[in-house]
Amino acid sequence: MRKLALLLLAIILVFSLILTGCAIPNLIRSSQLLNEGNKSFDDAKYEEAAALYEKAIKANRYNATAYGNKSAALILLKEYEEALELANKALEINDREAMFHLNKGEALNNLDENENAIESFNKALELDPEFVDAYNS
């Protein structure tokens, strides 16, 4: 009986992924592109990283990390408006990730929306009190 329940759950999961446009190959491709983007980001190739993160988003529109990482790359490229939009999109998918709140705060700060930026930095610290980057912002 338990095996049947697990099988039914797996079937439901696969069908829900297919219906929402997130077939398993897309999830895998999105993850690969995210990793490639992270390598470019670590090499300070922010434009390249942003392009790879965009491809990861196209492969899986629910990849909050890809939105968040593209937001971080755009902040370093001083494209604050788009960075803010992407940080907000990442937060729509997962509002429990401190880094997404930090990205939002950084974008807002650079857009001279200081009170809103402080609110975002405080939320990042609330979620992760040891998040050093939020203290430094």
Side-chain angles (χ1 to χ4, degrees):
M1 186 67 161
R2 185 165 188 232
K3 287 183 182 181
L4 180 62
L6 289 174
L7 178 62
L8 287 173
L9 182 61
I11 291 170
I12 290 169
L13 176 62
V14 169
F15 277 113
S16 67
L17 289 171
I18 291 169
L19 290 173
T20 60
C22 290
I24 301 300
N26 288 353
L27 295 175
I28 294 168
R29 183 67 182 140
S30 182
S31 179
Q32 290 169 336
L33 289 162
L34 182 69
N35 288 334
E36 290 174 29
N38 291 344
K39 171 93 171 79
S40 295
F41 189 97
D42 291 343
D43 292 340
K45 298 176 182 175
Y46 303 120
E47 287 180 15
E48 182 178 301
L52 288 163
Y53 294 140
E54 182 60 30
K55 289 180 181 179
I57 291 165
K58 287 185 181 192
N60 173 13
R61 67 179 184 256
Y62 299 106
N63 188 337
T65 303
Y67 286 103
N69 289 7
K70 185 175 179 189
S71 174
L74 291 178
I75 288 167
L76 293 170
L77 293 169
K78 301 181 190 256
E79 296 179 30
Y80 305 120
E81 291 282 346
E82 188 177 355
L84 178 58
E85 289 175 27
L86 290 163
N88 283 329
K89 182 62 179 171
L91 288 165
E92 285 176 26
I93 298 167
N94 177 8
D95 68 349
R96 305 295 303 162
E97 176 57 54
M99 181 59 77
F100 303 159
H101 290 280
L102 176 69
N103 290 348
K104 181 177 180 177
E106 290 289 346
L108 288 166
N109 189 48
N110 283 290
L111 293 168
D112 294 322
E113 294 186 36
N114 299 327
E115 288 183 32
N116 291 330
I118 290 169
E119 186 177 311
S120 291
F121 295 142
N122 286 337
K123 182 64 178 179
L125 290 171
E126 176 186 318
L127 292 169
D128 185 356
E130 296 179 20
F131 193 33
V132 176
D133 290 340
Y135 282 109
N136 294 332
S137 295

